[in-house]
Amino acid sequence: MLKVEHIGIAVTSLSESVPLFEKLLNSQCYKKEIVESEAVTTAFFQQGDTKIELLESTSEEGVIKKFIDKKGEGIHHIAFEVEDILAEMERLKTEGFLLLNNQPKSGADNKLVCFLHPKTTNSVLIELCQERRNKQ
Ligand code: ZN
């Protein structure tokens, strides 16, 4: 894996949390994006080489809504950038990690993503992400 690409933080309300993080980080949110497949609206901050991704649920049934109901707001996942997501998924499967999706999915920020089940990663939700290349 190459680096921490971003850290995902579950929030109840982007309209409250975006100004909060703008103050905290002393930088502007540069992008908001709805990811239909995950039922979230994301807001991104670029901090040097890495990003903070705030996640607000768009649905009562969404994974972020469920996460907040169970655990409250807070760190939701750590995303690692990978060079070749299919190869990395294969490697991790072979190592015994449980993948939450068998094919890469479309994530925010023009990425292909895959999540690992937290029960095989010390309860930390891990996201793999790869920059989408032309054909993918
Ligand atoms: Zn993410």
Side-chain angles (χ1 to χ4, degrees), residues 6 53 77 79 127:
H6 64 269
E53 174 187 43
H77 64 270
E127 173 186 343

Side-chain angles (χ1 to χ4, degrees), residues 1-2 80-85 88 128-131:
M1 299 190 197
L2 298 175
F80 290 95
E81 184 177 347
V82 298
E83 184 65 39
D84 178 344
I85 196 165
E88 197 63 18
L128 309 175
C129 62
Q130 181 211 296
E131 196 75 38

